[in-house]
Amino acid sequence: MTELQELYQDVILDHNRSPRNFGELPNCTHRAEGFNPLCGDHLTLQLLLDGDIISQANFTGNGCAISKASASILTDEIKGKTVDQANEMFNQFHRLVMQEPGEISEETLGKTMIFEGVKDYPARVKCATLAWHALNGALNGQTLSTTE
Ligand code: ZN
């Protein structure tokens, strides 16, 4: 199988074709941009927090299939999570694709586990983690994240 066949699984292709939570989020409380100059992916993540709970998450922008599908699945999975839970998801996703030691739980990561395969393709790791860096930035008051 080629790199693309291996990575562009059906779920990823589906989220790329019909991204979930795509578009401006009116009244968002947190937002951050993510830029991956290596691939040209440029996404903005918008969050609506209700106290400590992420009640809605949207994204806008343009990018390759991996970066868009990752943002689409991320925004689906973090909805209803607390800020602490979202930070923990960020840490675990980072470990998953960077092959770093530490806890990785399927229960915590949910559907975002599908990106495990990108760990073998360093250039693609940046595409898959872009939305996550934007999430981390949005939650920590950093409005621009780049993968460089
Ligand atoms: Zn990309």
Side-chain angles (χ1 to χ4, degrees):
M1 284 211 294
T2 68
E3 171 185 346
L4 294 187
Q5 283 170 329
E6 220 171 299
L7 287 177
Y8 287 29
Q9 301 171 45
D10 286 349
V11 175
I12 292 177
L13 286 173
D14 175 52
H15 277 266
N16 176 50
R17 266 195 304 265
S18 336
R20 321 299 195 266
N21 314 303
F22 186 76
E24 293 287 333
L25 179 60
N27 307 322
C28 73
T29 55
H30 294 63
R31 64 186 292 151
E33 260 180 274
F35 182 48
N36 174 17
L38 198 72
C39 179
D41 309 319
H42 193 181
L43 302 173
T44 298
L45 197 71
Q46 305 178 15
L47 306 174
L48 177 62
L49 264 72
D50 180 7
D52 199 31
I53 307 280
I54 299 169
S55 60
Q56 183 64 250
N58 273 37
F59 76 102
T60 59
N62 262 303
C64 67
I66 299 270
S67 66
K68 272 168 68 185
S70 184
S72 175
I73 293 171
L74 176 156
T75 49
D76 253 359
E77 290 288 317
I78 62 167
K79 244 182 284 175
K81 299 282 198 298
T82 66
V83 171
D84 281 352
Q85 285 171 326
N87 281 323
E88 179 58 20
M89 285 175 79
F90 169 78
N91 291 334
Q92 291 200 16
F93 189 82
H94 202 258
R95 278 180 213 137
L96 178 77
V97 296
M98 300 298 286
Q99 306 186 70
E100 283 171 1
E103 197 199 339
I104 292 170
S105 126
E106 199 164 347
E107 201 186 325
T108 302
L109 286 173
K111 284 187 197 145
T112 67
M113 285 284 292
I114 198 158
F115 291 96
E116 187 174 8
V118 303
K119 68 186 179 199
D120 297 322
Y121 306 97
R124 288 295 179 190
V125 166
K126 295 188 173 187
C127 302
T129 54
L130 183 64
W132 290 91
H133 284 290
L135 168 71
N136 192 47
L139 292 175
N140 295 288
Q142 202 187 334
T143 53
L144 177 66
S145 305
T146 124
T147 55
E148 292 304 291

